[in-house]
Amino acid sequence: MPTRSQYALMSKKDKNTVIFVSFVSAVIFFDFLIYLYIADIVSAAIFPANNDPTVAKLQGMGLFVIGYLARPFGGILFGRYGDLKGRKPTFS
């Protein structure tokens, strides 16, 4: 049980935890921000046969959505496997 009242403000440890989690989340999703910045270049390089720029942009954003959704699903699958088998088999 915590020693402070449930109505008290966050402790120093709680604040540090929130700051740490926010920083890690920002670093993890920074690659998605980079992709959004260069999405036009990537879609033109991967889908060059398409003459319509709107369709090429939608295809590029489709790649973004696939990557954005694959990360949590992979975390769920590999996290469960890691819980059952251990860290070494999961990484190898």
Side-chain angles (χ1 to χ4, degrees):
M1 291 300 291
T3 57
R4 58 191 167 88
S5 167
Q6 75 181 50
Y7 300 109
L9 295 175
M10 290 193 308
S11 68
K12 180 75 170 163
K13 183 179 178 183
D14 293 339
K15 288 178 186 178
N16 286 340
T17 302
V18 169
I19 290 170
F20 177 73
V21 168
S22 300
F23 177 74
V24 169
S25 296
V27 169
I28 287 173
F29 288 102
F30 184 69
D31 58 337
F32 286 118
L33 293 176
I34 291 172
Y35 179 78
L36 286 174
Y37 185 69
I38 61 169
D40 293 337
I41 298 168
V42 172
S43 64
I46 294 177
F47 308 111
N50 197 354
N51 291 333
D52 188 12
T54 306
V55 174
K57 199 171 282 201
L58 285 174
Q59 289 172 333
M61 288 298 124
L63 287 176
F64 173 80
V65 168
I66 289 169
Y68 196 80
L69 294 177
R71 184 172 280 178
F73 289 129
I76 291 169
L77 292 175
F78 283 112
R80 179 68 178 151
Y81 184 76
D83 288 343
L84 295 175
K85 301 292 183 180
R87 186 184 313 176
K88 188 173 182 180
T90 302
F91 286 134
S92 60

